[in-house]
Amino acid sequence: MTTTNPTAITDLYPSRGPAEVTVPRQDPVVWGAPGTSGPVSLDELHSYERDGFLAIEELIGEDEVARYHAELERLVADPAIRADERSIIEPQSKEIRSVFEVHRISEVFAELVRDERVVGRARQILGSDVYVHQSRINVKPGFGASGFYWHSDFETWHAEDGLPNMRTVSVSIALTENHDTNGGLMIMPGSHRTFLGCAGATPKDNYKKSLQMQDAGTPSDEALTKMAGEYGIKLFTGKAGSATWFDCNCMHGSGDNITPFPRSNVFIVFNSVENAAVEPFAAPIRRPEFIGARDFTPVK
């Protein structure tokens, strides 16, 4: 599929300029028509629209968790996977941090993507067919796995992948228990309604550094302090099998895991087929397709 030149599209969310900017959200949060049938209740949709996230206590059962966790362990232990460019290695421990495009590497995870409990929620929230913009497994073993610094995914996906609008939703499915101490996901509730355009130009091949340690696209301490004061911070805990859906523009991050308890999850990003990527809005070149997909085939 051909892509559109972004110069022909109004950039609603400028970023990576000489200074930070804040822009009120220009897009809906829930795109589906009210009363649209699906696995998300009307009350849950209202909560998602208000807060920018939706926590599900048990999206998948114990047997399914065991199956997906075993597949994660298989992938991480495979030398061919470790050598693949889609694997991101921790700079200190040299252990695998993430494996991208797992729905293409593994038929087991491809099944999860197609599961109606998963893709059905994405279609309902985004109001259209969806494709996978990104998928990965995140591995946070105990004793020193590093976190992910505060950021808005959309800021990067807009600037570096060319997603025009905020019509993208992510789901993080826990494959180990999320304690309040082992580096769990943190979100600022309501932050999805304000876009924070970060300062500083995007270096060429920025992804090679940012997937290990975020730099370009990182908010200032002053901006984060203001947002945290306005929105607060919610830490997500839950048993394996629980899931958190969150809007692409939520300000979120996670801390290091210095406990003995591992924290692993599968992370899937669904984008509307009506919001297909164009050229990057604020980067010299596209990121590789295993990070920002250019195959807009709907999930069926």
Side-chain angles (χ1 to χ4, degrees):
M1 182 178 292
T2 58
T3 57
T4 305
N5 188 330
T7 58
I9 299 175
T10 301
D11 184 358
L12 299 176
Y13 304 104
S15 192
R16 311 289 173 96
E20 279 185 327
V21 295
T22 55
V23 178
R25 186 187 185 104
Q26 305 296 303
D27 295 305
V29 177
V30 175
W31 291 74
T36 303
S37 62
V40 188
S41 71
L42 189 59
D43 285 346
E44 288 175 329
L45 285 174
H46 287 158
S47 175
Y48 178 87
E49 185 170 32
R50 180 190 67 235
D51 297 329
F53 59 80
L54 177 64
I56 307 294
E57 288 187 6
E58 185 179 339
L59 182 69
I60 58 176
E62 290 183 9
D63 291 346
E64 295 170 297
V65 168
R67 180 172 182 247
Y68 293 125
H69 191 268
E71 180 68 354
L72 178 149
E73 293 286 352
R74 183 189 72 81
L75 293 173
V76 171
D78 186 340
I81 297 296
R82 181 183 178 86
D84 194 296
E85 67 172 344
R86 291 172 287 189
S87 292
I88 309 303
I89 309 300
E90 286 276 6
Q92 300 299 324
S93 69
K94 304 303 180 184
E95 295 186 22
I96 288 180
R97 173 187 178 92
S98 303
V99 179
F100 281 79
E101 215 171 40
V102 289
H103 71 296
R104 295 191 182 279
I105 293 174
S106 164
E107 178 54 34
V108 174
F109 284 115
E111 290 175 13
L112 180 61
V113 166
R114 296 191 296 265
D115 191 310
E116 189 62 24
R117 292 170 296 179
V118 177
V119 70
R121 284 180 165 85
R123 292 193 192 105
Q124 194 177 358
I125 290 169
L126 301 180
S128 69
D129 279 334
V130 297
Y131 70 93
V132 177
H133 177 69
Q134 185 186 104
S135 72
R136 66 179 187 259
I137 49 174
N138 293 324
V139 185
K140 265 195 176 180
F143 299 120
S146 56
F148 293 85
Y149 197 69
W150 290 106
H151 64 286
S152 154
D153 287 329
F154 180 75
E155 192 278 338
T156 296
W157 298 339
H158 182 71
E160 300 186 38
D161 296 340
L163 296 192
N165 297 96
M166 295 180 183
R167 199 170 179 179
T168 314
V169 64
S170 302
V171 60
S172 176
I173 305 172
L175 300 181
T176 54
E177 185 164 358
N178 288 323
H179 303 282
D180 58 4
T181 53
N182 64 341
L185 173 68
M186 297 181 288
I187 292 178
M188 297 185 187
S191 59
H192 61 303
R193 294 195 172 277
T194 301
F195 176 76
L196 179 64
C198 297
T202 308
K204 184 179 179 181
D205 291 337
N206 179 53
Y207 77 94
K208 292 181 179 179
K209 180 179 180 181
S210 67
L211 296 179
Q212 291 182 331
M213 186 63 68
Q214 188 88 356
D215 188 8
T218 301
S220 68
D221 290 352
E222 292 78 12
L224 289 171
T225 300
K226 181 179 178 181
M227 294 183 79
E230 181 176 355
Y231 300 118
I233 296 173
K234 164 72 173 176
L235 170 65
F236 292 86
T237 59
K239 294 186 178 298
S242 62
T244 304
W245 293 83
F246 59 101
D247 179 83
C248 58
N249 192 46
C250 283
M251 189 61 66
H252 67 288
S254 64
D256 297 349
N257 182 13
I258 61 172
T259 76
F261 310 115
R263 176 182 173 264
S264 299
N265 69 296
V266 55
F267 181 76
I268 307 163
V269 180
F270 293 102
N271 188 41
S272 169
V273 296
E274 299 172 12
N275 190 44
V278 296
E279 293 303 313
F281 284 87
I285 59 172
R286 300 175 179 178
R287 297 196 299 174
E289 291 195 26
F290 69 84
I291 302 172
R294 296 279 162 173
D295 180 353
F296 310 134
T297 305
V299 176
K300 297 294 185 182

